[in-house]
Amino acid sequence: MPKKKIEALEEVKRNYVRMALESGNYSSIARHAGISRSTLTKWIKEYEDEVREQMEDPTSAIVSIEPTKEELKAKYEQAMKLLGEKELEVAMLRNLLKKTQYRP
């Protein structure tokens, strides 16, 4: 079963790819992200074409290493929404499991 990609995480990866491509300093960006350079390189291979297209767009802003308070708040709210959905899903599955286990 293929992994379901979580858009918020994919966006974070694309942002780090963009920072690396803009700065040219992969090691520094990887350190800042708390990942290995090889992981960042893998992300670059996966997202480079998409990110370069975005970088060519004149309306696209340069990505900052330090996110703004509004960006952090939006990411937090999105993460909390995803967490709530997952908790609901787990509760539903547990309930379903209980029902199927006690059938005579």
Side-chain angles (χ1 to χ4, degrees):
M1 182 168 161
K3 289 184 181 178
K4 181 180 176 185
K5 292 188 175 188
I6 300 172
E7 187 55 37
L9 295 177
E10 300 308 304
E11 186 62 31
V12 169
K13 291 177 184 180
R14 286 190 288 270
N15 284 338
Y16 282 119
V17 167
R18 181 166 180 169
M19 286 187 276
L21 294 174
E22 287 176 346
S23 71
N25 191 342
Y26 295 5
S27 296
S28 174
I29 299 301
R31 250 190 326 274
H32 180 76
I35 58 174
S36 69
R37 191 172 192 274
S38 63
T39 298
L40 180 60
T41 303
K42 185 177 93 177
W43 292 355
I44 290 170
K45 288 177 183 175
E46 186 174 349
Y47 297 107
E48 183 172 13
D49 293 338
E50 179 183 347
V51 170
R52 287 204 185 272
E53 282 180 20
Q54 184 185 36
M55 289 168 63
E56 291 173 3
D57 182 3
T59 61
S60 177
I62 294 176
V63 177
S64 167
I65 289 179
E66 296 298 323
T68 66
K69 188 175 182 179
E70 291 78 25
E71 290 172 333
L72 289 174
K73 185 176 179 183
K75 294 288 183 189
Y76 173 79
E77 288 172 357
Q78 188 172 15
M80 292 307 292
K81 179 182 175 197
L82 289 170
L83 179 61
E85 291 172 359
K86 290 296 177 189
E87 286 177 347
L88 179 61
E89 185 178 317
V90 167
M92 291 171 59
L93 290 171
R94 283 184 178 153
N95 191 23
L96 181 62
L97 187 59
K98 285 179 186 177
K99 288 180 181 179
T100 59
Q101 285 180 345
Y102 295 112
R103 283 195 172 166

